[in-house]
Amino acid sequence: MKTNISNRIPNIKEYVASLCTVMVVLLSIQPAIADENMLSIFNLASDLTSGSTLPESELYTTDDDIVIYANDGVNLDANIFVPTNLQGLAPAVIFINSWAMNEYQYTNEAAQLAEKGYIVLSYSTRGFGTSGGLIDTAGPKDIDDYSKVIDFILANYPVDPNAVGSAGISYGSGISLLGAAQDSRVKAVAAMSSWGDLTDALYGNDTPRLFWGSLLTMAGGLTGNPDPIINQHWNSVLNQNLAAIPDVKAWASLRSPIQYVDQLNQNGTAVYLAKAYGDNLFQPNTLMDMFSQLTGPKHADLLPGTHATAEMLPSLLGVGDNIVWENVFQWFDLHLKGETNDIATAKPLNMKVKFENRFESFDDYPVAEASNETFYFHPRGTFDSGDLETSPYQSWFGTDNTINAWAGTIFSTQIPALSQILEQLDIPIFADISAASDVRSIYFNTNRLDETMAIRGTPSVTLQIQPYYNKVQLVAYLYDMDFWGTGKLITHGVITLPQAESGKKITVDLDLVTTAYDVPAGHKLVLAIDTKDPQYKSPTSADYFVDFEFSSSKQSVLTLPTL
């Protein structure tokens, strides 16, 4: 029989979200908080989510005593909402928990769907909640469990086998995508704050995601039962254990939805995606690469915020658009019930422009209406910054500019998670561009723009550099600079060279994070570069130098997709 701790806290999500926000702020302000204090925070989170009283209504019945047994005997604890007065078969939605959460995460949404005629089952993945087994991190056991849950709901409830969908935030979204690729019975998926490529999420551009990786590893250990391989792989990434990285990548590739696009297309799965520009856990780039490869029904909403906040903050705080959950419900109504609604006629890609109360819709990604605009780097001089010009740098003799890596600068993504939440609330990340250290950073700016520049997509940077150490990290920041020299962060990108050859001139390429932003006429566009950011683990504490090389034969360029 299922272990059940009843009569806990009805509004579970509000408490957990508030708790997580406090936790994020504490981690951001003081990463070295004593272990026992962090343990108490996570224990409280685990206690709050260990059980919940399910909502009650005359429109549905509930059962909070469900146990589904996986093929290896592991118990998967679940609850279910069944509409009353069903006549015939009903569509079904399966909810899958986020990392460190459990089967009670979606009780409010499950109740709403049940009121609309859906049978809704939510389960705790193995290793979380009161389910047994070890956390498999969306691995083969989780995907096998996913199909086992579908077997259970089809065998025990009046579910239309041609109208089964699944949904989740974060961890649950990835399992939904991976599971639907392997199980053609799933007709529609709603994947919120998901990932495309797990390798990129952990170690994109050979850069360990210090804040989010550490936070999730800690949360998994304190609220679940992790497989030891999770800490082993994370420590390999964090410490740049290069001999172990191929094993990490193979493990992560198996858990990457982008590797299973062909199966999703073959199954004809209707895929809904929601993603925040500032989600620095699962940055949107590889998810949008996956979106571009989907040939079946698809829709993506891109919005400001950070991981999972585009889904949670509007309902919790009553601010912003609650577009994500509204569209999730419409997606299921369209593809599981055959109802005509707004999302049926909407264009597949919906981008909210940062700091503007405006959405723009497009037919696909990359945005066909956007064309690449190229700016060439010109070196800084004694009394001026570097320039971004529309014409290549030309000189009979090459030159260089040098920065030092001993510390970070005012160029930054600032407080991890919290600063991106504030962006969702229309509070930008600012930097005084002219006050930045010209020893530890360098920046390049355009002339004042004659007209608004509408950036829609993924900017990219190519740099010609000469590092003077065997480990190097470069962080690029794209700013909108006003008349007073204040820069508003548009997006950023990072690259790490864990095995650089000191003194060798090389070319490095990096994409910045996908975005939608309007740079006003009269402002300048700024590309700033330094060597450290609180989101990422620096490869070394050494005090090294990097030269930025300028010559007619090899150009450093910034490429922007603009309307």
Side-chain angles (χ1 to χ4, degrees):
M1 185 174 179
K2 172 182 172 182
T3 301
N4 182 35
I5 303 175
S6 61
N7 299 319
R8 290 291 180 134
I9 297 174
N11 297 318
I12 190 80
K13 290 203 305 182
E14 285 81 352
Y15 282 88
V16 171
S18 300
L19 180 69
C20 290
T21 301
V22 171
M23 181 182 65
V24 164
V25 173
L26 288 173
L27 278 170
S28 303
I29 295 172
Q30 179 51 273
I33 286 177
D35 288 344
E36 59 269 21
N37 291 335
M38 290 310 301
L39 179 60
S40 66
I41 290 173
F42 281 113
N43 281 343
L44 178 57
S46 179
D47 185 56
L48 284 173
T49 60
S50 62
S52 178
T53 301
L54 299 180
E56 296 180 358
S57 170
E58 295 180 353
L59 299 176
Y60 55 77
T61 61
T62 62
D63 186 349
D64 192 22
D65 200 28
I66 292 175
V67 181
I68 304 167
Y69 289 97
N71 285 325
D72 60 358
V74 165
N75 63 292
L76 304 172
D77 288 354
N79 62 67
I80 198 163
F81 290 67
V82 180
T84 52
N85 302 320
L86 279 179
Q87 297 180 352
L89 301 179
V93 171
I94 297 168
F95 277 124
I96 307 165
N97 59 284
S98 301
W99 189 266
M101 299 291 281
N102 60 28
E103 73 206 69
Y104 301 105
Q105 180 178 358
Y106 307 105
T107 54
N108 290 339
E109 290 78 16
Q112 292 177 60
L113 285 169
E115 290 174 353
K116 292 163 62 70
Y118 290 87
I119 296 173
V120 187
L121 185 145
S122 301
Y123 74 98
S124 295
T125 54
R126 58 174 60 222
F128 284 120
T130 52
S131 291
L134 300 178
I135 299 169
D136 196 38
T137 320
K141 292 180 181 178
D142 278 321
I143 305 313
D144 189 61
D145 293 347
Y146 177 89
S147 290
K148 195 70 174 180
V149 170
I150 297 173
D151 293 342
F152 174 86
I153 197 172
L154 289 175
N156 292 279
Y157 294 90
V159 170
D160 182 349
N162 296 310
V164 176
S166 71
I169 297 172
S170 186
Y171 189 52
S173 71
I175 293 176
S176 287
L177 290 169
L178 293 161
Q182 305 296 333
D183 197 322
S184 61
R185 294 175 295 179
V186 180
K187 304 305 178 185
V189 164
M192 297 162 275
S193 291
S194 197
W195 67 92
D197 188 324
L198 190 57
T199 301
D200 182 79
L202 296 171
Y203 193 59
N205 280 342
D206 295 338
T207 305
R209 271 47 181 174
L210 174 64
F211 174 79
W212 281 106
S214 299
L215 180 61
L216 287 195
T217 304
M218 183 185 298
L222 293 173
T223 65
N225 189 18
D227 187 322
I229 198 67
I230 298 172
N231 276 323
Q232 178 183 322
H233 283 334
W234 174 239
N235 286 333
S236 295
V237 166
L238 193 62
N239 298 315
Q240 292 280 13
N241 180 1
L242 300 184
I245 292 301
D247 288 340
V248 176
K249 289 184 175 181
W251 178 85
S253 179
L254 188 67
R255 293 159 167 82
S256 297
I258 198 169
Q259 300 296 329
Y260 303 92
V261 172
D262 289 344
Q263 290 94 316
L264 287 167
N265 290 336
Q266 184 177 355
N267 293 343
T269 312
V271 177
Y272 171 82
L273 303 173
K275 171 59 64 176
Y277 301 121
D279 185 346
N280 289 316
L281 169 57
F282 303 138
Q283 291 174 340
N285 296 36
T286 62
L287 191 69
M288 294 311 297
D289 288 343
M290 175 182 161
F291 177 81
S292 70
Q293 298 174 42
L294 291 170
T295 58
K298 61 182 180 180
H299 187 92
D301 288 320
L302 297 181
L303 308 99
T306 189
H307 189 66
T309 62
E311 301 91 296
M312 295 180 67
L313 284 190
S315 59
L316 292 176
L317 302 181
V319 295
D321 303 287
N322 199 21
I323 185 173
V324 173
W325 280 110
E326 291 172 359
N327 281 348
V328 167
F329 292 164
Q330 286 198 29
W331 192 249
F332 288 137
D333 288 345
L334 172 63
H335 293 286
L336 301 184
K337 296 172 73 175
E339 295 182 358
T340 300
N341 51 36
D342 290 342
I343 206 167
T345 57
K347 290 186 176 183
L349 176 60
N350 193 33
M351 305 178 80
K352 186 171 185 181
V353 182
K354 291 180 69 174
F355 310 115
E356 303 281 347
N357 188 25
R358 186 174 82 254
F359 287 87
E360 294 180 355
S361 297
F362 304 97
D363 290 318
D364 210 339
Y365 188 87
V367 174
E369 294 87 341
S371 57
N372 285 335
E373 195 165 350
T374 301
F375 294 92
Y376 297 86
F377 290 50
H378 289 236
R380 69 183 176 191
T382 305
F383 300 107
D384 65 349
S385 64
D387 295 320
L388 293 172
E389 304 282 359
T390 56
S391 59
Y393 174 72
Q394 298 291 337
S395 175
W396 288 105
F397 304 99
T399 188
D400 59 50
N401 295 148
T402 303
I403 65 171
N404 181 273
W406 72 269
T409 71
I410 61 172
F411 299 133
S412 172
T413 59
Q414 295 187 6
I415 302 174
L418 180 60
S419 293
Q420 289 71 48
I421 291 173
L422 293 176
E423 283 192 315
Q424 185 176 345
L425 303 176
D426 289 334
I427 302 173
I429 297 171
F430 290 111
D432 184 349
I433 302 295
S434 61
S437 168
D438 59 4
V439 174
R440 304 189 309 277
S441 65
I442 189 169
Y443 71 90
F444 305 84
N445 59 257
T446 65
N447 293 323
R448 298 200 181 279
L449 301 180
D450 294 328
E451 58 185 17
T452 298
M453 176 186 288
I455 302 170
R456 303 290 183 272
T458 305
S460 62
V461 177
T462 296
L463 298 173
Q464 309 298 333
I465 65 168
Q466 185 176 23
Y468 288 95
Y469 197 65
N470 61 359
K471 296 180 179 64
V472 176
Q473 185 172 95
L474 296 174
V475 190
Y477 306 89
L478 189 64
Y479 287 98
D480 162 16
M481 185 170 70
D482 64 18
F483 294 95
W484 296 274
T486 300
K488 184 188 297 184
L489 185 63
I490 301 171
T491 185
H492 80 287
V494 63
I495 190 168
T496 302
L497 308 175
Q499 287 183 307
E501 185 176 338
S502 181
K504 182 179 180 179
K505 295 180 180 180
I506 57 173
T507 301
V508 296
D509 298 295
L510 67 149
D511 286 341
L512 308 187
V513 177
T514 302
T515 194
Y517 186 92
D518 288 349
V519 185
H523 286 203
K524 293 182 178 182
L525 195 69
V526 174
L527 195 285
I529 304 168
D530 66 10
T531 60
K532 291 177 174 34
D533 189 90
Q535 299 280 356
Y536 309 108
K537 172 73 180 295
S538 177
T540 178
S541 59
D543 179 5
Y544 63 89
F545 292 90
V546 179
D547 284 352
F548 292 83
E549 301 292 329
F550 301 89
S551 70
S552 300
S553 59
K554 290 190 174 182
Q555 302 286 333
S556 294
V557 298
L558 167 66
T559 304
L560 301 172
T562 61
L563 298 180

